[in-house]
């Protein structure tokens, strides 16, 4: 089954194609300017070319549903819906935080904790078992301070994502590891997507909305 994956919730605009669990092609770029609106369609074209297939061969579309950038999520969701309607294929949605943990599973960590920067000292986060990847605590918006995550003080923990930079500065966890270079990536949506296809956990394309977690707050430009 050939599946198209879109992940646009962060600074990483990421597109992948798989044939079942086999990754055929990955096209992605991290940009400080959030280039999803400019790059997503091109990246889809490049991924199809790299995989050696055409768009009509796609049998399902999987989307990293957030949380993350409001604008990025809107762009990804609109594109995913368009592909699903045009191709008459199902839509699968996966929590974007789950695509950040796979490289760190079974690496002797008790817990893997993704942190997505959400302005000021706030992050989007959840806690995952370091061996199985199972969710330990659900996704939330959390304001970081010196008391945050103290329940993991005596555990082997790694914090991953662009929110790890400010976490490193305030968290009182001397034994924790931090990796600030990790962003949600389409290639790590594959495992969860296939699980959801197996249980027929498809989204209602007409009514699907990304997982914003918080209401959108725009910034007014000064006159």
């Amino acid at each position: 089954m050939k599946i198209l994956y879109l992940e646009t919730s962060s600074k990483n605009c990421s597109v992948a194609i798989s044939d079942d669990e086999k990754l055929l092609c990955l096209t992605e770029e991290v940009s400080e300017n959030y280039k999803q609106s400019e790059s997503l369609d091109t990246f889809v074209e490049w991924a199809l070319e790299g995989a050696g297939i055409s768009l009509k061969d796609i049998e399902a579309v999987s989307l990293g549903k957030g949380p993350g950038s409001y604008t990025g999520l809107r762009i990804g969701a609109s594109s995913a819906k368009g592909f699903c309607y045009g191709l008459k294929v199902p839509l699968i949605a996966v929590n974007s935080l789950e695509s950040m943990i796979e490289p760190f599973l079974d690496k002797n960590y008790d817990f893997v904790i993704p942190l997505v920067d959400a302005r000021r000292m706030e992050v989007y986060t959840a806690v995952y078992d370091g061996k199985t990847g199972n969710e330990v605590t659900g996704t939330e918006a959390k304001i970081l301070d010196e008391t945050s995550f103290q329940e993991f003080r005596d555990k082997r923990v790694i914090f991953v994502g662009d929110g790890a930079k400010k976490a490193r500065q305030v968290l009182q966890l001397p034994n924790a590891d931090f990796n600030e270079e990790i962003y949600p990536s389409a290639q790590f949506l594959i495992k969860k997507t296939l699980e959801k296809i197996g249980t027929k956990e498809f989204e209602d394309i007409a009514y699907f909305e990304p997982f914003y977690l918080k209401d959108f707050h725009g910034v007014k430009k000064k006159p």
Side-chain angles (χ1 to χ4, degrees):
M1 185 178 195
K2 295 178 176 63
I3 306 167
L4 172 66
Y5 303 84
L6 308 177
E7 175 49 72
T8 60
S9 68
S10 72
K11 296 174 183 177
N12 187 30
C13 182
S14 182
V15 176
I17 294 173
S18 82
D19 188 355
D20 290 332
E21 71 278 358
K22 181 182 179 182
L23 177 65
L24 299 180
C25 191
L26 172 68
T27 305
E28 62 183 6
E29 180 186 17
V30 176
S31 171
E32 294 296 323
N33 298 321
Y34 291 90
K35 290 186 176 180
Q36 287 89 340
S37 60
E38 303 169 29
S39 303
L40 185 58
D41 288 343
T42 301
F43 283 11
V44 171
E45 291 178 15
W46 289 351
L48 289 167
E49 182 178 343
I53 64 173
S54 64
L55 191 58
K56 64 180 175 58
D57 295 317
I58 294 298
E59 299 168 82
V61 177
S62 176
L63 176 69
K65 67 178 181 178
S69 160
Y70 183 92
T71 302
L73 289 172
R74 295 295 294 181
I75 292 168
S78 296
S79 293
K81 286 185 176 186
F83 287 129
C84 289
Y85 275 123
L87 298 169
K88 296 181 173 57
V89 298
L91 173 65
I92 300 95
V94 177
N95 189 314
S96 294
L97 298 181
E98 295 193 34
S99 75
M100 301 170 68
I101 67 172
E102 189 168 318
F104 305 96
L105 296 180
D106 217 8
K107 295 285 173 53
N108 295 319
Y109 290 111
D110 296 314
F111 301 100
V112 182
I113 305 178
L115 301 175
V116 173
D117 195 348
R119 296 185 181 181
R120 300 184 179 88
M121 291 309 294
E122 191 169 30
V123 294
Y124 301 132
T125 187
V127 178
Y128 296 90
D129 184 279
K131 188 170 183 63
T132 65
N134 292 335
E135 187 180 77
V136 177
T137 64
T139 303
E140 63 177 330
K142 186 180 188 74
I143 296 174
L144 297 177
D145 59 33
E146 62 275 7
T147 67
S148 300
F149 300 109
Q150 282 297 303
E151 64 270 33
F152 303 113
R153 186 175 182 85
D154 298 323
K155 302 294 184 180
R156 278 282 286 150
V157 177
I158 184 168
F159 295 92
V160 300
D162 58 359
K165 183 175 182 179
K166 56 191 178 187
R168 187 197 297 268
Q169 298 169 357
V170 300
L171 296 185
Q172 303 296 312
L173 299 171
N175 297 320
D177 290 337
F178 298 84
N179 189 321
E180 305 161 14
E181 306 302 319
I182 299 300
Y183 293 93
S185 177
Q187 65 182 314
F188 297 125
L189 297 174
I190 295 174
K191 182 180 178 182
K192 195 70 175 183
T193 296
L194 291 174
E195 290 176 4
K196 291 196 170 194
I197 290 173
T199 57
K200 298 189 181 329
E201 192 176 335
F202 303 130
E203 301 296 329
D204 186 320
I205 300 170
Y207 295 101
F208 172 77
E209 287 288 330
F211 183 26
Y212 294 122
L213 196 58
K214 296 199 308 179
D215 293 333
F216 175 66
H217 297 288
V219 178
K220 293 182 179 180
K221 292 183 178 180
K222 295 180 179 180

